[in-house]
Amino acid sequence: MLGEENYICGRPLATVVFLALKLGRPLFLEGEAGTGKTEIAKAIAAALGRRLIRLQCYEGLDAASAVYEWNFAEQMIAIRTAEAAGGADRDVLKTELFTEEYLIERPLLQAMRPQPGGAPVLLIDELDRTDEPFEAFLLEALSDFQVTIPELGTIRAPEPPIVILTSNRTREVHDALKRRCLYHWVDYPSFDREIEILHARAPEAAETLSREVVAFVQKLRTEDLFKKPGVAETIDWAKCLLALDAIDLSPEMIADTIGAILKYQDDIQKLEGSEAKRILDEVRKELAPA
């Protein structure tokens, strides 16, 4: 199913995805950035024909931003309109203002609503960026798949959403949340697996170029870098090289396109001069036929 959506993975990851769907359990994916954690939620949603609802986490995210907020601008217009029409009854106006007409639904509330085609896929992306109070709130929300809005009451999901949580492990997520999920560490792929991924995502790349690109990126991951390139960077780099009509790698081509795979100047400086050529020579030696 995942392969049909051009998501290439090994049996362990495919198995835990199957179990999460079969058992209705949230799936917690942890690993380095760029290893395909977010993409798997997109692939599941596309394969099942479900809506993908994404909650992008960040420092300071709170329950109000993740669940709902009131459309204060529209409420003020309604108040001014009522006053201009002769002054509506205050209690009646208050009741009318706090209805779903003025409710702005955020991702968690959207995921509790019935959706065409079945329960949506709820992607809670980069959970490790949030604060612990939000993590505690999320623990409660995912336990019962319901949220409470004081003015409207409790809203429960008629069918629990398919929940995918991801973390780049910039901090440890609390054990209580992990215990409610099936867990999988998404590692960098092997050489052969990354070749498969590149063929699926950049099929126009020649075999020689694909092998050199993947081997070079995998070699970079063994270097002392601040931020190692992920699979996403491998794909981006191959597409950049194709846009430049590259047939194979050269030190000059690497220097011109290095910003596609390395995102920090300190890392880029380490590949300046003869360093890129040294790595490229090692790659070609390893790829040469025995």
Side-chain angles (χ1 to χ4, degrees):
M1 182 187 76
L2 295 173
E4 289 175 357
E5 300 301 326
N6 285 335
Y7 190 93
I8 311 300
C9 67
R11 185 179 179 86
L13 179 54
T15 301
V16 78
V17 169
F18 170 79
L19 291 173
L21 295 175
K22 189 76 172 178
L23 303 177
R25 294 279 299 279
L27 176 59
F28 189 93
L29 300 175
E30 204 166 38
E32 298 291 341
T35 52
K37 302 184 296 297
T38 299
E39 287 298 316
I40 199 166
K42 297 178 182 179
I44 292 171
L48 298 178
R50 307 292 182 89
R51 179 186 174 190
L52 176 65
I53 298 174
R54 180 175 181 172
L55 173 61
Q56 179 61 53
C57 298
Y58 55 87
E59 186 177 351
L61 177 66
D62 58 13
S65 302
V67 181
Y68 77 98
E69 61 181 307
W70 293 106
N71 191 335
F72 294 118
E74 289 293 333
Q75 288 173 325
M76 289 301 299
I77 291 172
I79 292 170
R80 296 287 183 255
T81 302
E83 289 175 346
D89 181 87
R90 180 182 293 271
D91 292 333
V92 173
L93 186 59
K94 183 178 179 181
T95 302
E96 291 176 349
L97 286 175
F98 291 98
T99 61
E100 295 204 11
E101 179 183 355
Y102 299 99
L103 187 68
I104 300 175
E105 297 186 356
R106 297 305 184 195
L108 284 182
L109 180 55
Q110 292 174 16
M112 304 296 172
R113 301 292 199 186
Q115 302 289 336
V121 176
L122 173 61
L123 169 61
I124 302 173
D125 212 10
E126 299 184 326
L127 178 62
D128 53 316
R129 293 181 179 271
T130 63
D131 304 318
E132 291 189 8
F134 179 77
E135 191 179 316
F137 162 78
L138 194 62
L139 183 65
E140 181 180 357
L142 294 182
S143 295
D144 301 321
F145 292 105
Q146 66 181 30
V147 293
T148 299
I149 301 174
E151 298 85 352
L152 298 178
T154 298
I155 298 173
R156 175 184 286 272
E159 182 182 358
I162 299 166
V163 181
I164 311 290
L165 304 98
T166 75
S167 167
N168 294 334
R169 209 176 186 182
T170 57
R171 72 168 179 87
E172 287 294 336
V173 174
H174 200 278
D175 287 346
L177 185 60
K178 285 186 175 182
R179 281 198 301 270
R180 282 164 173 76
C181 305
L182 296 178
Y183 176 86
H184 188 80
W185 175 266
V186 184
D187 209 345
Y188 294 118
S190 65
F191 177 82
D192 290 339
R193 183 81 62 198
E194 197 159 3
I195 286 288
E196 285 186 65
I197 294 169
L198 193 54
H199 285 167
R201 295 304 179 96
E204 61 274 27
E207 183 67 21
T208 300
L209 180 63
S210 296
R211 292 176 66 81
E212 286 187 351
V213 163
V214 170
F216 192 91
V217 171
Q218 294 216 339
K219 184 71 71 174
L220 281 183
R221 291 178 189 144
T222 67
E223 299 290 318
D224 182 22
L225 299 176
F226 179 76
K227 173 64 179 69
K228 293 177 170 54
V231 180
E233 282 74 34
T234 303
I235 297 167
D236 285 345
W237 192 30
K239 290 180 177 179
C240 289
L241 294 168
L242 287 170
L244 296 172
D245 296 324
I247 299 173
D248 55 15
L249 289 180
S250 67
E252 296 75 23
M253 188 64 72
I254 294 170
D256 290 342
T257 58
I258 196 64
I261 47 175
L262 298 180
K263 310 298 181 180
Y264 290 88
Q265 181 59 23
D266 289 349
D267 289 343
I268 292 173
Q269 285 179 336
K270 291 179 180 179
L271 257 71
E272 290 180 346
S274 61
E275 189 63 14
K277 184 178 184 304
R278 177 189 67 80
I279 296 175
L280 182 58
D281 289 342
E282 290 180 7
V283 162
R284 286 183 170 154
K285 184 177 180 180
E286 291 176 3
L287 293 178

